[in-house]
Amino acid sequence: MWSLFEPVHAVTYFAPHSAAIFEAAGLRGFWRRYFAGRAAPLGAVGPAPVIAAFFGFAPAMVSRAFPDVWTRITPQAALEARTAGARAALDELRSGADVTEAADLLSTAARAVDLPGRVLAASYAALPEPAHPVERLWHAATVLREHRGDGHVAALLTAGVDGCESLVWRVALEGGDLRASMQSARGWTDDEWLAAAERLRGRGWVAADGSATAAGREAYEKVETLTDELAAPPWRHLGDEATRRCAQLLEPLAASAWSVVPADNPIPLRPSTA
């Protein structure tokens, strides 16, 4: 389900409609839009709550964004721009298809999220549910992705991993050129990255060549399993049959979303191979 609702949410970061609406509201730049839009339900906060909630971002990068973004746009205006941009993007991507049933099912799941310890999910769940089906669909996808993200942070903390280590660990597992995009996207310096890698080597999770060890892969699988378990309650509430129907309805829209979400994006979200 995550592989289907996450691309629907992610159009807010990459669709030209979203960028244009934010710019019309007075906010330019990808990361300003990202930080202001995603943190807006928290209110006009400083860097500390965002460092805690966003987890994988370097504190220095977050501190450059907050509270500066609130001198350029208010949280309410950021919320409105984000919703309007997502609706404009999804309206185009759905090619006129009716998304009411998908919105109803996804919203039913989103209303069932457990909120204690889930700061971002709770902040989005507290917002008024939109009336328009496309906006309601995007809002539900956002609540569910932040619910899963909050749980993933909890799983990483349970494993004793900090924000930079979580990125180094993923790069070690996936290999390739992921570090080139992830390190700069999250604002970590070379010294911070190398120190995190050294800590992971000390735990026996990363080898000298930077690849993940068998122990590192096993530990990561435990984190992913716990993340899945923590994300499961909304889908248990929705039920197997309704969840399968929701997946069926989301598949074409998620596929269309990949036309605006770049395959090599800094979230990092990758197309499902399932």
Side-chain angles (χ1 to χ4, degrees):
M1 292 307 298
W2 173 81
S3 70
L4 295 174
F5 66 69
E6 180 74 4
V8 172
H9 163 80
V11 299
T12 189
Y13 307 119
F14 304 106
H17 297 292
S18 294
I21 290 173
F22 261 112
E23 289 179 7
L27 196 64
R28 291 179 171 272
F30 177 89
W31 287 112
R32 283 181 183 145
R33 296 196 304 272
Y34 179 94
F35 281 124
R38 191 176 175 209
L42 300 174
V45 295
V50 182
I51 291 169
F54 286 20
F55 190 73
F57 285 87
M61 183 177 182
V62 178
S63 296
R64 287 194 296 272
F66 296 94
D68 176 73
V69 290
W70 305 134
T71 69
R72 303 169 188 271
I73 195 171
T74 66
Q76 183 59 37
L79 284 172
E80 292 170 359
R82 202 176 194 220
T83 301
R87 175 178 171 180
L90 292 172
D91 266 335
E92 184 173 285
L93 292 169
R94 70 189 177 106
S95 300
D98 187 0
V99 299
T100 301
E101 185 182 1
D104 290 344
L105 290 169
L106 208 62
S107 295
T108 299
R111 293 186 207 110
V113 297
D114 46 316
L115 300 181
R118 317 266 191 162
V119 173
L120 285 173
S123 298
Y124 276 97
L127 297 175
E129 189 175 281
H132 191 280
V134 173
E135 293 181 7
R136 191 165 74 252
L137 179 76
W138 182 82
H139 173 74
T142 300
V143 171
L144 289 163
R145 69 95 63 171
E146 296 298 3
H147 175 264
R148 183 179 177 84
D150 287 337
H152 188 53
V153 169
L156 288 166
L157 291 173
T158 300
V161 175
D162 65 28
C164 190
E165 290 168 355
S166 72
L167 302 180
V168 175
W169 201 9
R170 179 160 180 175
V171 168
L173 288 156
E174 294 191 15
D177 58 356
L178 187 59
R179 176 183 173 180
S181 61
M182 288 304 301
Q183 182 182 344
S184 60
R186 296 296 187 267
W188 298 100
T189 66
D190 285 341
D191 286 345
E192 290 168 331
W193 189 272
L194 293 174
E198 184 60 31
R199 293 192 297 273
L200 291 173
R201 280 194 292 272
R203 298 181 70 166
W205 289 358
V206 172
D209 64 358
S211 63
T213 63
R217 292 184 180 278
E218 181 180 354
Y220 197 83
E221 183 62 31
K222 290 179 180 178
V223 166
E224 290 300 298
T225 297
L226 180 54
T227 299
D228 286 342
E229 291 173 354
L230 292 172
W235 308 108
R236 293 196 187 104
H237 174 81
L238 189 60
D240 291 346
E241 184 177 349
T243 297
R244 285 193 293 269
R245 176 59 176 163
C246 188
Q248 180 184 30
L249 293 167
L250 286 176
E251 282 174 358
L253 187 58
S256 295
W258 282 107
S259 67
V260 297
V261 177
D264 184 21
N265 61 74
I267 291 179
L269 169 66
R270 300 294 183 257
S272 174
T273 57

